[in-house]
Amino acid sequence: MFKVVLVGRPNVGKSTLFNRLVRSQKAIVNDEPGVTRDRKYGQGNLADLNFIIIDTAGIDDSLSGSTESKIREQSQLAIDDANIIFFVIDGRQGVLPIEKSFVMKLKKQNKPIVVLINKSEGSKGLIGLSESAFLGIDNVIPISAEHGEGLPDIYDFLKEYLQVENPEIHQKKGSNYNIESTIRISVTGRPNTGKSTLINNIIGENRLVTGADAGITRDSIEIKWNYKNQNFCLIDTAGLRRKSKIRKILEKDMVSDTLKSIKFSDICVLLIDASQNIDKQDLTIARMIIGEGRGVIIGANKWDKVTDQNIIKNEIKNQLRVSLSQIKQIPIVFLSGLHNRGIEKLFDKIIDTKSKLSTRITTGKLNRWLSTIIKNNPPPLYKGRQNNIRYITQVNVKPPTFALFMSSPDDLPNSYKRFLLASIVKTFDLSGVPIRIILRKGQNPYVKR
């Protein structure tokens, strides 16, 4: 499958076009320049054409520093990886000097270049269209990423490129990466806990921009990876600060993007800074993950910086046991993303947790368990009468969810419901994952009337 990279200045609409081509709001779009920092890959579609589209950070040579240098490096890697370059300019502003010099560099790549004059709806893009000749690129297409204008012209160019210049690219078969069997893992946590560094060390390359400053990651970045013949999708997310500290619209967008990643993951690795012990915000994030029914694994990162490891280890375990009592024995992995320690143990825990989340228990086994429980520990009376629990069945997985049918669901104490949950976890080895019981009023369908 061929690859197309989007390059250009900040705020010219690259991420908007990226979202349009992948038909999803995968990239954060904001008026603030420099939102995109890492290269972001997506599955692009135009009619019968399928391709990989890569969003990159805006070119801005006026910025200096180690982080900015790493951002530029990521953009260059994306250009090197692509077959076709889409150079996006703002049609309302025309061609700027920095764009002329950047195009000169792009020409040295010896790859097809298309100038996309964005924001060309109506007559507003005529400035960019008239000045595009100064760039010396033959292929110029006026578009509006926001309104979907110009997409047929993009399709015509790509179709001609495949059929005339490089037909073998179109004939390449996709990889053996099976989306259905893929475990989606979001690496979440507060800012500066080492999420991007951990993922870089897992995959063995500098795929994500890292640095000492907090809040470098803004978009959620998905990366395909394979471990022990199991496909994974690793998702780096923006750090979640306390709600009271979030004021800017961009930060709200970042939080929303992270929460969306959590929702569509199988398992979340909650990365905490072990050298600072567990924080109140860490527990808040953990409750959000559990509330979504996702599996959660605590990654105690920067373990190499901890001196009194036994003391800190016990403190973390005790804090989780007290503050997150709804899940028994939450898996904890003590690791160092920087020094590549504990990675194998982390993925073994992930595979085990995924297996538990997908557990299916037959109705027969469940009701034999229920019969023993009711016999030994019957539910409390209500209004002086027995609250008959009739039967139980599993209705869903990820997380395992059970429906309990009884005489009066509203009168079953929460303490008894917690007792049933604890017994299910112990009996069917479901420790460390969220479990749900739904109380229903009804008759046993297996009883003949």
Side-chain angles (χ1 to χ4, degrees):
M1 194 175 292
F2 69 99
K3 298 176 182 177
V4 179
V5 63
L6 302 174
V7 296
R9 291 187 299 108
N11 255 22
V12 295
K14 298 186 299 298
S15 294
T16 303
L17 179 58
F18 177 88
N19 288 339
R20 172 74 63 177
L21 292 174
V22 301
R23 301 178 184 179
S24 170
Q25 297 297 316
K26 291 187 70 174
I28 294 176
V29 177
N30 190 278
D31 290 336
E32 181 178 325
V35 172
T36 303
R37 291 180 168 180
D38 297 285
R39 48 192 160 119
K40 193 179 187 77
Y41 288 71
Q43 176 71 56
N45 302 101
L46 276 176
D48 60 331
L49 292 181
N50 296 312
F51 51 92
I52 302 297
I53 187 79
I54 313 172
D55 191 17
T56 64
I59 53 170
D60 190 347
D61 292 337
S62 64
L63 300 176
S64 60
S66 60
T67 299
E68 285 70 24
S69 176
K70 291 177 181 178
I71 292 173
R72 284 192 291 271
E73 180 184 347
Q74 289 297 320
S75 296
Q76 185 58 52
L77 289 171
I79 293 170
D80 294 340
D81 192 27
N83 302 103
I84 301 171
I85 300 171
F86 281 177
F87 184 60
V88 186
I89 69 171
D90 187 335
R92 299 175 184 178
Q93 295 184 6
V95 178
L96 302 187
I98 188 175
E99 292 172 324
K100 294 179 182 178
S101 61
F102 190 67
V103 163
M104 296 298 292
K105 296 177 183 177
L106 290 178
K107 289 178 179 178
K108 297 178 182 178
Q109 299 289 324
N110 292 321
K111 295 180 179 181
I113 303 174
V114 182
V115 177
L116 301 181
I117 307 172
N118 194 26
K119 307 180 185 179
S120 292
E121 58 271 20
S123 60
K124 295 179 179 179
L126 291 177
I127 298 174
L129 185 60
S130 61
E131 295 182 358
S132 62
F134 296 115
L135 296 174
I137 303 295
D138 294 332
N139 303 302
V140 178
I141 303 175
I143 68 165
S144 172
E146 187 174 359
H147 298 93
E149 297 178 10
L151 295 184
D153 295 322
I154 294 177
Y155 170 84
D156 290 341
F157 171 83
L158 294 177
K159 192 75 172 178
E160 182 180 357
Y161 168 77
L162 291 173
Q163 292 177 346
V164 177
E165 297 189 34
N166 286 281
E168 72 279 359
I169 295 179
H170 195 50
Q171 294 170 1
K172 285 184 180 179
K173 295 182 179 179
S175 67
N176 294 325
Y177 192 86
N178 188 348
I179 295 177
E180 295 297 326
S181 64
T182 298
I183 301 177
R184 291 178 60 85
I185 305 166
S186 283
V187 181
T188 63
R190 292 182 290 117
N192 228 17
T193 54
K195 298 181 290 296
S196 299
T197 301
L198 173 63
I199 293 179
N200 280 344
N201 278 284
I202 287 173
I203 64 176
E205 63 175 284
N206 291 323
R207 174 65 178 78
L208 302 165
V209 177
T210 61
D213 297 333
I216 290 178
T217 301
R218 291 178 172 178
D219 271 309
S220 293
I221 306 297
E222 299 184 3
I223 302 171
K224 297 175 182 178
W225 194 64
N226 186 281
Y227 173 76
K228 291 185 176 179
N229 296 321
Q230 170 65 56
N231 292 326
F232 293 90
C233 178
L234 306 177
I235 308 170
D236 187 27
T237 63
L240 293 173
R241 297 203 301 162
R242 293 183 182 180
K243 193 174 181 179
S244 60
K245 294 183 178 181
I246 300 173
R247 294 182 177 86
K248 294 182 179 180
I249 294 177
L250 175 57
E251 269 201 283
K252 292 180 181 179
D253 290 340
M254 290 161 56
V255 170
S256 177
D257 196 42
T258 297
L259 295 180
K260 184 169 67 174
S261 296
I262 291 172
K263 184 176 181 179
F264 291 100
S265 295
D266 296 303
I267 296 166
C268 296
V269 175
L270 174 55
L271 217 59
I272 67 172
D273 187 340
S275 64
Q276 299 178 10
N277 212 326
I278 199 161
D279 184 85
K280 183 179 179 181
Q281 177 65 2
D282 295 324
L283 298 172
T284 301
I285 298 170
R287 292 188 187 100
M288 286 192 296
I289 296 169
I290 294 168
E292 289 290 346
R294 306 303 101 183
V296 58
I297 296 172
I298 306 298
N301 196 26
K302 306 182 183 182
W303 194 238
D304 53 298
K305 293 185 177 180
V306 178
T307 52
D308 300 323
Q309 292 188 345
N310 288 331
I311 295 175
I312 298 299
K313 186 180 293 186
N314 290 330
E315 287 180 356
I316 292 174
K317 288 181 178 179
N318 290 334
Q319 185 73 359
L320 293 175
R321 185 171 61 250
V322 172
S323 302
L324 300 174
S325 57
Q326 60 267 51
I327 294 186
K328 304 296 182 184
Q329 301 175 19
I330 292 179
I332 309 171
V333 179
F334 299 91
L335 52 85
S336 172
L338 182 63
H339 298 288
N340 217 19
R341 298 174 187 167
I343 304 298
E344 187 171 347
K345 187 175 181 181
L346 174 64
F347 276 87
D348 288 342
K349 287 286 186 185
I350 288 170
I351 293 172
D352 179 61
T353 301
K354 178 61 165 58
S355 175
K356 289 182 177 180
L357 284 169
S358 303
T359 295
R360 287 191 179 275
I361 306 169
T362 64
T363 300
K365 286 184 179 180
L366 284 169
N367 283 283
R368 284 193 292 273
W369 160 82
L370 182 62
S371 176
T372 304
I373 286 290
I374 294 174
K375 180 179 179 181
N376 297 328
N377 297 279
L381 300 177
Y382 78 99
K383 297 180 181 179
R385 293 182 297 176
Q386 186 177 3
N387 194 349
N388 289 324
I389 298 179
R390 304 188 186 283
Y391 83 108
I392 186 172
T393 187
Q394 185 172 355
V395 295
N396 209 346
V397 294
K398 294 190 299 186
T401 305
F402 306 90
L404 188 67
F405 291 81
M406 57 198 313
S407 302
S408 181
D410 295 337
D411 294 298
L412 187 73
N414 286 330
S415 57
Y416 194 79
K417 183 179 177 181
R418 290 194 296 270
F419 163 71
L420 292 176
L421 280 170
S423 181
I424 288 177
V425 168
K426 183 177 180 181
T427 304
F428 299 104
D429 189 25
L430 294 175
S431 61
V433 298
I435 305 294
R436 292 174 177 172
I437 288 186
I438 304 169
L439 304 182
R440 292 285 184 265
K441 183 179 177 65
Q443 301 293 325
N444 189 340
Y446 297 101
V447 175
K448 293 182 180 180
R449 297 183 179 87

